[in-house]
């Protein structure tokens, strides 16, 4: 349990750090932290229930897309601010590092294992964000007609 709390705090801090790099206003940093924490919590819950890198990243990135759309409308700022900072916990940094290390050291097994995992993670993130973007586009088109 303590490890999960540490992971959620790290996800929040990582999202805030990236929001600072993007020069997000100080009044929005708490929303960046909340988005990153909930994103990672969703990932952990989905992965615990069904250990699939694709599914866990897909579901978490669908949340990121919806969170970014809702917060952007609520705060009247661009979606990318929340989209970028809240998706930071999903970025496969470790897998990508070991994939590149395998490539550089000619360790084909390390390269293949981590490269495949990296591709699956990235595909889950991208498909989740695309599905959310399409959904929100048509949702606002339908709502706009009324």
């Amino acid at each position: 349990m303590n490890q999960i709390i540490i992971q959620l705090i790290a996800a929040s801090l990582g999202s805030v750090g990236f929001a600072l790099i993007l020069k997000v206003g100080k009044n929005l940093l708490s929303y960046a932290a909340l988005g990153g924490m909930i994103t990672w919590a969703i990932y952990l819950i989905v992965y615990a229930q069904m250990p699939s890198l694709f599914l866990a990243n897909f579901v978490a990135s669908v949340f990121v897309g919806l969170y970014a759309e809702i917060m952007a409308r609520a705060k009247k700022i661009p979606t990318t601010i929340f989209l970028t900072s809240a998706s930071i916990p999903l970025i496969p940094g470790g897998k990508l590092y070991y994939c590149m290390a395998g490539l550089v050291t000619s360790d084909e097994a390390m390269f293949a294992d981590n490269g495949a995992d990296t591709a699956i993670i990235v595909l889950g993130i991208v498909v989740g964000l695309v599905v959310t973007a399409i959904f929100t586009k048509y949702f606002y088109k339908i709502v706009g007609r009324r």
Side-chain angles (χ1 to χ4, degrees):
M1 187 64 168
N2 288 336
Q3 186 178 10
I4 293 172
I5 293 170
I6 291 170
Q7 287 183 33
L8 294 175
I9 291 170
S12 296
L13 293 176
S15 295
V16 168
F18 210 85
L20 288 171
I21 291 171
L22 295 174
K23 299 192 186 318
V24 171
K26 291 186 185 345
N27 58 334
L28 300 174
L29 291 179
S30 60
Y31 299 111
L34 181 65
M37 183 187 315
I38 295 173
T39 298
W40 192 246
I42 289 171
Y43 171 85
L44 292 174
I45 291 167
V46 172
Y47 194 78
Q49 296 300 313
M50 188 176 302
S52 165
L53 287 174
F54 177 82
L55 186 62
N57 282 285
F58 171 78
V59 173
S61 67
V62 166
F63 165 76
V64 169
L66 293 174
Y67 179 76
E69 288 288 338
I70 292 167
M71 293 306 297
R73 302 244 186 289
K75 297 296 178 185
K76 296 180 178 31
I77 58 174
T79 306
T80 54
I81 290 173
F82 295 108
L83 190 68
T84 306
S85 61
S87 64
I88 289 302
L90 299 177
I91 304 300
K95 294 285 186 187
L96 184 59
Y97 172 82
Y98 288 112
C99 173
M100 291 296 109
L103 180 66
V104 171
T105 62
S106 299
D107 186 344
E108 293 175 9
M110 183 191 306
F111 172 71
D113 290 344
N114 290 292
D117 286 349
T118 300
I120 290 168
I121 291 168
V122 170
L123 189 63
I125 294 168
V126 169
V127 171
L129 293 177
V130 168
V131 165
T132 307
I134 292 169
F135 171 78
T136 55
K137 176 184 176 184
Y138 286 108
F139 176 78
Y140 288 119
K141 196 178 265 190
I142 291 168
V143 170
R145 289 182 185 164
R146 292 181 182 184

